[in-house]
Amino acid sequence: MFATAQILYPRGRRANDDDQAHLLTRAGADEHALTDAAPGFVDWSPTADTAAMVQDVQALVSGVHEYGCGLEAQLESWYRFLVQPDPYASIIPDPKDNRLRTLNGVDATILRQRHDFLRPDSLVLVVMITDEDDSTHDPRALGGQGWAYSMKRFPGSIGGGAARGTVACDDPKTVSTGACTSCAYPGHATDPNCQKPGDTDPGTGQPQLGYYGAAGDTLNTRYVRMKQRYGVDPQFPVKRYVNGLSSATVPDRNGEQYDGLSSDGQPINGYDAKNNCTNPLFAQTLPTDPTGELCRLPAGSRTPEQVILTTVTGVPWQLLTENPADPSSPFKGALSADDWTKIVGANPENYDYTGKIRTCSSRPRRALASPIPPIRTPVIR
């Protein structure tokens, strides 16, 4: 089992709030150490007891629990464990500017666990069990200020809410243009969205313009439609994870760069990855020394066809049935392009969520008609 918490947030009072994407061997409600996972994982062979294996996996899933700060990192957890050539040990203030953040060290535990877990010729199946979208960001994005969006109290905000996006961010046709940016950057004081009031400054009695009020910008929904709401998006793009499961080479931290600053000094959040290292998923041998060679590894025999990603999650059952008005309607054999638009939107990679019928919200939802339709479990096809 991979832990889903990142180490972007201070460790809480619970020991498991920061599992750092390490393999976990705690099991069950009491989180006892699973004896069968002594090497760090459970393994199976044709002569193994299949029933015992199933029980072990069930116990491990139960033992993971839902610790952490509430910002899910299900994509980043497997990427950090399986793919990242140099997984960082910690995130620290930039020595040149403590308002910024940078990556520090290499996680020796992940290197060792990855070395012990992966065979160069095995089939790799990644199963994500999740009920929310991924909320991973790169703390180095936005000129090193990407970390700010993980803070419950956004830096520079009177009440804690983050800065709004300009009015161009409201339109799917202009959200991906340079006109969509953050009200926190200079030069946008007259933009209609940057004129909207936030929380009141107790010192002046005046509202802070261009910022959300704390009640309308809770941390647990901070990573929903970020570009539209804030004018910037410090999250890693989905293509990074696709690349990680399919490419023989991937970027290390030095290969993941951004486009720097525009002429007016505003960070350009253009993720630009250079595949400069061997992908550990497709390497013959894996390092264990964090001070040794982590990038130029010999190629192995695993192919992209031997890497499979699947997810156990949920969508409204009405999207999966032949007749959404009939609770007893049979499930569809396959989803159409229109079905996928209703699930993810028209063009989510370019921030166009037109047509999507399900989204997270920090505000109370409209009440469902009574009685609430029954939950249905489709057959896995």
Side-chain angles (χ1 to χ4, degrees):
M1 294 295 110
F2 304 132
T4 59
Q6 292 190 84
I7 46 179
L8 303 184
Y9 322 104
R11 183 179 291 274
R13 286 177 291 181
R14 298 176 301 188
N16 298 326
D17 272 352
D18 185 9
D19 285 319
Q20 305 181 15
H22 295 167
L23 291 178
L24 303 180
T25 59
R26 59 178 185 254
D30 61 354
E31 300 183 5
H32 63 274
L34 186 66
T35 303
D36 290 344
F41 48 86
V42 294
D43 57 358
W44 180 88
S45 68
T47 59
D49 185 338
T50 302
M53 176 75 171
V54 170
Q55 291 178 353
D56 285 344
V57 172
Q58 290 174 334
L60 288 174
V61 171
S62 174
V64 171
H65 286 113
E66 289 189 283
Y67 294 115
C69 67
L71 298 180
E72 273 69 16
Q74 58 271 52
L75 291 172
E76 189 64 18
S77 62
W78 60 254
Y79 188 94
R80 175 174 163 82
F81 180 80
L82 294 172
V83 177
Q84 183 68 40
D86 53 345
Y88 60 81
S90 61
I91 295 173
I92 62 173
D94 191 312
K96 298 179 181 179
D97 187 341
N98 63 12
R99 297 172 301 175
L100 312 180
R101 296 295 182 269
T102 189
L103 307 182
N104 178 60
V106 175
D107 191 319
T109 298
I110 283 187
L111 293 185
R112 167 53 66 181
Q113 290 184 338
R114 180 192 293 167
H115 171 276
D116 294 346
F117 179 76
L118 280 178
R119 294 199 322 266
D121 59 345
S122 65
L123 183 145
V124 175
L125 172 63
V126 180
V127 181
M128 296 196 306
I129 304 175
T130 180
D131 61 353
E132 293 188 35
D133 294 338
D134 187 277
S135 299
T136 303
H137 66 270
D138 187 339
R140 303 168 301 166
L142 308 178
Q145 300 178 78
W147 64 274
Y149 289 87
S150 70
M151 304 301 292
K152 191 171 184 178
R153 189 177 185 87
F154 191 81
S157 173
I158 296 298
R164 295 176 180 270
T166 55
V167 71
C169 305
D170 298 338
D171 189 339
K173 296 178 181 178
T174 54
V175 67
S176 294
T177 68
C180 171
T181 188
S182 172
C183 289
Y185 295 148
H188 306 288
T190 60
D191 183 276
N193 280 2
C194 302
Q195 287 288 308
K196 292 181 178 180
D199 289 317
T200 300
D201 186 336
T204 65
Q206 299 297 315
Q208 185 178 30
L209 302 182
Y211 281 73
Y212 287 99
D217 187 41
T218 61
L219 182 59
N220 271 5
T221 56
R222 181 72 59 76
Y223 288 78
V224 177
R225 302 191 180 191
M226 297 192 78
K227 184 66 171 171
Q228 286 89 338
R229 296 167 64 203
Y230 309 117
V232 294
D233 185 2
Q235 293 177 286
F236 288 112
V238 173
K239 65 181 181 181
R240 175 178 185 258
Y241 302 102
V242 175
N243 184 68
L245 293 178
S246 59
S247 174
T249 54
V250 292
D252 62 3
R253 69 183 65 168
N254 294 324
E256 294 187 304
Q257 300 178 359
Y258 298 85
D259 291 340
L261 303 177
S262 63
S263 58
D264 57 0
Q266 298 180 13
I268 302 173
N269 188 34
Y271 176 83
D272 181 22
K274 297 176 175 60
N275 290 344
N276 58 325
C277 293
T278 305
N279 187 339
L281 263 179
F282 302 108
Q284 179 64 32
T285 59
L286 294 172
T288 58
D289 181 2
T291 65
E293 178 59 57
L294 304 177
C295 182
R296 294 181 295 274
L297 308 177
S301 58
R302 182 181 292 112
T303 66
E305 291 73 23
Q306 291 176 281
V307 181
I308 301 171
L309 171 68
T310 188
T311 181
V312 179
T313 185
V315 298
W317 62 261
Q318 292 89 340
L319 296 181
L320 307 178
T321 58
E322 294 179 1
N323 181 4
D326 179 7
S328 62
S329 173
F331 287 102
K332 298 175 181 177
L335 297 181
S336 67
D338 182 60
D339 292 329
W340 280 110
T341 296
K342 292 176 181 177
I343 294 173
V344 301
N347 187 0
E349 291 216 52
N350 289 309
Y351 308 108
D352 183 358
Y353 300 101
T354 303
K356 184 177 180 180
I357 67 171
R358 185 180 186 227
T359 187
C360 299
S361 174
S362 59
R363 299 179 180 179
R365 299 181 184 277
R366 176 176 55 85
L368 293 173
S370 183
I372 297 175
I375 295 174
R376 296 192 60 194
T377 302
V379 176
I380 297 177
R381 301 180 187 275

